[in-house]
Amino acid sequence: MADRSPVAGFDDRVEGFFWFVGQGGYGIQISPALARAGAALVRTGQLPADLIDRGLAAASLGRERLAGVATLEGH
Protein backbone atom coordinates (compact mmCIF):
# COMPACT_ATOMS: atom_id res chain seq x y z
CA MET A 1 0.00 0.00 0.00
CA ALA A 2 1.10 3.56 -0.62
CA ASP A 3 1.54 4.29 3.09
CA ARG A 4 3.32 0.95 3.67
CA SER A 5 0.84 -0.02 6.37
CA PRO A 6 -1.58 -2.96 6.48
CA VAL A 7 -5.08 -2.96 5.08
CA ALA A 8 -7.77 -5.19 6.54
CA GLY A 9 -11.42 -4.70 5.71
CA PHE A 10 -14.17 -5.27 3.19
CA ASP A 11 -13.92 -3.48 -0.13
CA ASP A 12 -16.75 -1.00 -0.65
CA ARG A 13 -16.64 -1.58 -4.43
CA VAL A 14 -16.55 -5.39 -4.68
CA GLU A 15 -19.14 -7.33 -2.71
CA GLY A 16 -17.63 -9.95 -0.43
CA PHE A 17 -13.99 -9.02 -1.12
CA PHE A 18 -11.94 -8.63 2.06
CA TRP A 19 -8.58 -6.89 1.91
CA PHE A 20 -5.80 -8.38 4.07
CA VAL A 21 -2.55 -7.03 2.65
CA GLY A 22 0.43 -4.83 3.37
CA GLN A 23 2.01 -6.51 6.36
CA GLY A 24 5.42 -5.86 4.77
CA GLY A 25 8.25 -5.42 7.24
CA TYR A 26 5.84 -5.42 10.18
CA GLY A 27 4.53 -8.94 9.57
CA ILE A 28 6.15 -10.84 12.41
CA GLN A 29 5.48 -8.15 15.01
CA ILE A 30 1.86 -7.40 14.15
CA SER A 31 0.61 -10.73 12.81
CA PRO A 32 -1.16 -11.92 16.00
CA ALA A 33 -3.10 -8.68 16.52
CA LEU A 34 -3.77 -8.11 12.82
CA ALA A 35 -5.04 -11.67 12.40
CA ARG A 36 -7.43 -11.17 15.33
CA ALA A 37 -8.54 -7.82 13.90
CA GLY A 38 -9.14 -9.27 10.44
CA ALA A 39 -11.02 -12.30 11.75
CA ALA A 40 -13.24 -10.12 13.93
CA LEU A 41 -13.97 -7.71 11.07
CA VAL A 42 -14.99 -10.63 8.83
CA ARG A 43 -17.16 -12.25 11.50
CA THR A 44 -18.77 -9.27 13.21
CA GLY A 45 -17.67 -6.07 11.48
CA GLN A 46 -16.21 -4.89 14.81
CA LEU A 47 -12.68 -4.91 16.21
CA PRO A 48 -12.02 -6.73 19.50
CA ALA A 49 -12.48 -4.40 22.47
CA ASP A 50 -8.90 -4.84 23.69
CA LEU A 51 -7.52 -3.65 20.33
CA ILE A 52 -9.83 -0.64 20.37
CA ASP A 53 -8.70 0.10 23.94
CA ARG A 54 -5.11 0.14 22.64
CA GLY A 55 -6.01 2.76 20.04
CA LEU A 56 -6.76 0.70 16.93
CA ALA A 57 -9.64 1.93 14.77
CA ALA A 58 -11.18 0.00 11.89
CA ALA A 59 -10.85 3.12 9.73
CA SER A 60 -7.08 3.07 10.20
CA LEU A 61 -6.99 -0.38 8.58
CA GLY A 62 -9.39 0.43 5.73
CA ARG A 63 -8.34 0.90 2.13
CA GLU A 64 -10.39 4.11 2.04
CA ARG A 65 -7.78 5.91 4.17
CA LEU A 66 -5.61 6.08 1.05
CA ALA A 67 -8.02 8.03 -1.11
CA GLY A 68 -5.99 10.64 -2.95
CA VAL A 69 -2.60 9.22 -1.86
CA ALA A 70 -0.11 8.46 -4.60
CA THR A 71 0.61 4.77 -5.19
CA LEU A 72 4.09 3.40 -4.75
CA GLU A 73 4.37 3.09 -8.52
CA GLY A 74 3.11 6.65 -8.96
CA HIS A 75 5.72 8.57 -7.04
Side-chain angles (χ1 to χ4, degrees):
M1 299 308 292
D3 65 356
R4 297 181 181 253
S5 292
V7 173
F10 283 103
D11 192 302
D12 60 345
R13 300 172 299 173
V14 181
E15 185 177 342
F17 185 86
F18 189 88
W19 288 86
F20 198 80
V21 299
Q23 290 81 17
Y26 308 107
I28 295 297
Q29 294 125 331
I30 66 169
S31 60
L34 190 59
R36 287 185 57 235
L41 289 170
V42 166
R43 286 191 324 263
T44 68
Q46 305 276 340
L47 290 172
D50 64 311
L51 296 181
I52 294 170
D53 290 345
R54 293 173 192 251
L56 185 61
S60 68
L61 293 174
R63 180 192 57 78
E64 300 80 20
R65 75 175 189 269
L66 299 173
V69 175
T71 64
L72 288 175
E73 297 81 23
H75 20 152

